């Protein structure tokens, strides 16, 4: 008995879906920046390198923890290594695991022989050191990233609302119960702008900090936060803050974060519908195209299968030039650290 063409197509579609599902779930995290000073290094195949590898392996194997945080040590002084990871508090365990697993390999590429290193992604941070980094507020390094779009109307009101919301977010994150995530988000309507309708803020500390130290860390980074832009964030190894005029975190805490709206639009309520409709349709089209290719062995590629958005264009992040021009000698090449995932980056000393 012959199998019909329709049955064959359906069978192939099921096979394609099963093959693509792991690839869709294991997406590479969004890299922000890293720091690993060359002041102290270790030699290849040394005891310190072996201990670092043990720490990174332990971090990776514990990345499925529900609280999104883990710290560990390996070895003895003077070769003892301290390590930890922190996932963004609104993300699922699977997203956290994917980010930490990637970071344990990526940090070795960025920092092959440095004894102290930290790498930030949108989804998590990972760090290790030859000194104790547990339950201690890191004085640095601290990096500022901002949107390329500034606020064009009622800037004073915008600045006031951003700072008020960030302070409330910091209080909420710092005063969570013992053992809980030191993570908080906040959303408020905006009635003074025609280009956006709401403001969204986020604050987070590593949960090994006591409430007083978490609050101190958040206040420190908020004081460096530029508020004249449509969005900005400050990265520190112990805490971080961020605000945007679009919803950038998950309100349910189980899904992947949404893409920002196109520049110029408010997009506050329309993006969930757009994402819910466009993503399944796009995925279905891609799967059908791949199935046709398998059936007909076509070599010519007729469609661009890339989906998503260019975050560098939509939300290009870089240093606040006006505020830190003097500290960087007018952002001369001599003081430039390099380029991160969102553009040029300068370090706050």
């Amino acid at each position: 008995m012959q199998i019909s063409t329709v049955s064959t197509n359906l069978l192939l579609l099921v096979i394609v879906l099963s093959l693509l599902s792991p690839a869709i779930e294991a997406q590479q995290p969004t890299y922000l920046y890293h720091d690993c000073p060359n002041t102290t290094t270790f030699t290849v195949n040394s005891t310190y390198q072996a201990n670092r590898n043990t720490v990174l392996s332990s971090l990776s194997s514990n990345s499925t923890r529900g609280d999104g945080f883990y710290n560990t040590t390996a070895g003895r002084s003077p070769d003892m290594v301290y390590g930890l990871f922190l996932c963004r508090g609104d993300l699922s365990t699977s997203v956290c695991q994917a980010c930490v697993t990637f970071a344990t390999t990526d940090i070795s590429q960025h920092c092959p022989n440095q004894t102290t290193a930290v790498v930030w992604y949108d989804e998590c941070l990972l760090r290790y050191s030859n000194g104790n980094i547990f339950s201690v507020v890191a004085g640095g390094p601290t990096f500022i990233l901002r949107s390329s779009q500034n606020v064009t109307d009622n800037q004073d009101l915008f600045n006031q609302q951003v700072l008020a919301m960030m302070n409330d977010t910091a209080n909420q994150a710092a005063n969570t119960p013992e053992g809980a995530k030191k993570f908080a988000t906040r959303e408020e309507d905006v009635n003074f702008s025609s280009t956006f309708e709401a403001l969204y803020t986020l604050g987070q500390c590593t949960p090994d900090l006591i409430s007083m130290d978490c609050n101190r860390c958040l206040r420190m980074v908020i004081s460096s936060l530029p508020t004249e832009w449509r969005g900005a964030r400050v990265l520190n190894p112990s805490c971080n803050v961020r605000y945007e005029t679009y919803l950038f975190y998950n309100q349910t805490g189980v899904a992947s974060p949404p893409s920002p709206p196109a520049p110029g639009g408010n997009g506050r309520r329309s993006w969930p519908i757009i994402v819910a409709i466009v993503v399944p349709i796009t995925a279905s089209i891609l799967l059908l195209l791949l199935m046709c290719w398998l059936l007909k062995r076509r070599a010519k590629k007729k469609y661009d299968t890339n989906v998503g958005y260019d975050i560098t264009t939509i939300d290009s992040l870089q240093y606040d030039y006006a505020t830190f021009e003097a500290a960087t000698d007018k952002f001369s090449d001599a003081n430039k650290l390099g380029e991160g995932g969102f553009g040029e980056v300068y370090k706050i000393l």
Side-chain angles (χ1 to χ4, degrees):
M1 182 175 64
Q2 274 191 326
I3 300 176
S4 67
T5 303
V6 174
S7 299
T8 302
N9 290 347
L10 288 174
L11 179 60
L12 285 172
L13 181 59
V14 171
I15 294 173
V16 170
L17 281 169
S18 65
L19 290 173
L20 288 183
S21 292
I24 292 172
E25 296 227 357
Q27 295 181 352
Q28 183 171 312
T30 303
Y31 168 80
L32 297 177
Y33 203 68
H34 74 275
D35 183 78
C36 45
N38 285 316
T39 51
T40 56
T41 59
F42 59 81
T43 57
V44 178
N45 296 325
S46 63
T47 302
Y48 190 90
Q49 183 178 25
N51 291 336
R52 184 191 71 162
N53 293 343
T54 299
V55 164
L56 294 178
S57 177
S58 179
L59 294 177
S60 179
S61 62
N62 284 277
S63 58
T64 56
R65 295 171 60 92
D67 56 1
F69 174 78
Y70 183 70
N71 56 17
T72 187
T73 61
R76 296 181 178 180
S77 182
D79 297 307
M80 189 171 184
V81 180
Y82 301 78
L84 64 82
F85 71 76
L86 174 68
C87 289
R88 215 175 71 199
D90 60 314
L91 298 180
S92 66
T93 302
S94 61
V95 174
C96 177
Q97 180 185 18
C99 183
V100 174
T101 301
F102 180 85
T104 54
T105 301
D106 194 39
I107 198 170
S108 299
Q109 301 296 321
H110 290 300
C111 310
N113 66 335
Q114 284 78 15
T115 57
T116 300
V118 56
V119 60
W120 290 272
Y121 307 88
D122 193 36
E123 298 83 359
C124 71
L125 75 84
L126 185 143
R127 63 186 296 214
Y128 68 83
S129 176
N130 59 342
N132 184 15
I133 56 175
F134 304 155
S135 305
V136 178
V137 176
T142 302
F143 299 94
I144 296 177
L145 302 93
R146 66 161 175 83
S147 169
S148 60
Q149 296 178 278
N150 60 2
V151 177
T152 57
D153 53 348
N154 296 303
Q155 189 176 86
D156 288 341
L157 291 175
F158 181 82
N159 294 348
Q160 293 172 15
Q161 185 162 357
V162 168
L163 290 177
M165 289 180 63
M166 286 305 324
N167 287 328
D168 289 342
T169 305
N171 286 331
Q172 183 179 346
N175 293 312
T176 55
E178 185 177 352
K181 297 179 181 179
K182 284 186 164 48
F183 172 84
T185 60
R186 193 170 181 85
E187 171 188 355
E188 286 186 7
D189 291 332
V190 171
N191 56 14
F192 51 77
S193 175
S194 59
T195 55
F196 51 88
E197 297 180 358
L199 267 171
Y200 305 88
T201 58
L202 179 151
Q204 184 172 19
C205 296
T206 56
D208 59 335
L209 296 180
I210 62 174
S211 295
M212 181 178 66
D213 287 341
C214 175
N215 188 66
R216 179 164 61 91
C217 185
L218 290 172
R219 302 296 173 184
M220 177 180 66
V221 295
I222 290 173
S223 67
S224 302
L225 188 68
T227 57
E228 65 271 27
W229 307 94
R230 293 279 292 270
R233 65 171 77 185
V234 182
L235 307 175
N236 176 278
S238 297
C239 65
N240 64 88
V241 295
R242 182 182 182 184
Y243 75 88
E244 300 288 352
T245 55
Y246 63 87
L247 183 60
F248 63 92
Y249 52 81
N250 301 304
Q251 294 176 314
T252 59
V254 295
S256 297
S259 302
N266 56 48
R268 183 187 174 196
R269 300 302 178 196
S270 61
W271 69 261
I273 299 174
I274 294 173
V275 171
I277 294 174
V278 172
V279 171
I281 292 176
T282 304
S284 299
I285 292 173
L286 293 175
L287 291 172
L288 287 173
L289 289 174
L290 182 57
M291 184 182 69
C292 291
W293 180 85
L294 290 172
L295 291 173
K296 298 184 179 181
R297 303 287 184 177
R298 289 180 179 175
K300 183 178 179 181
K301 186 177 182 182
K302 293 185 176 182
Y303 296 88
D304 180 8
T305 57
N306 290 322
V307 290
Y309 63 91
D310 184 354
I311 194 167
T312 303
T313 301
I314 293 175
D315 193 21
S316 179
L317 300 176
Q318 51 188 293
Y319 246 80
D320 180 0
Y321 293 97
T323 304
F324 301 98
E325 186 179 30
T328 58
D329 192 19
K330 296 184 178 181
F331 294 88
S332 67
D333 290 340
N335 292 317
K336 179 180 174 183
L337 291 176
E339 295 191 4
F342 297 96
E344 296 178 352
V345 181
Y346 292 80
K347 179 179 179 180
I348 301 176
L349 300 176

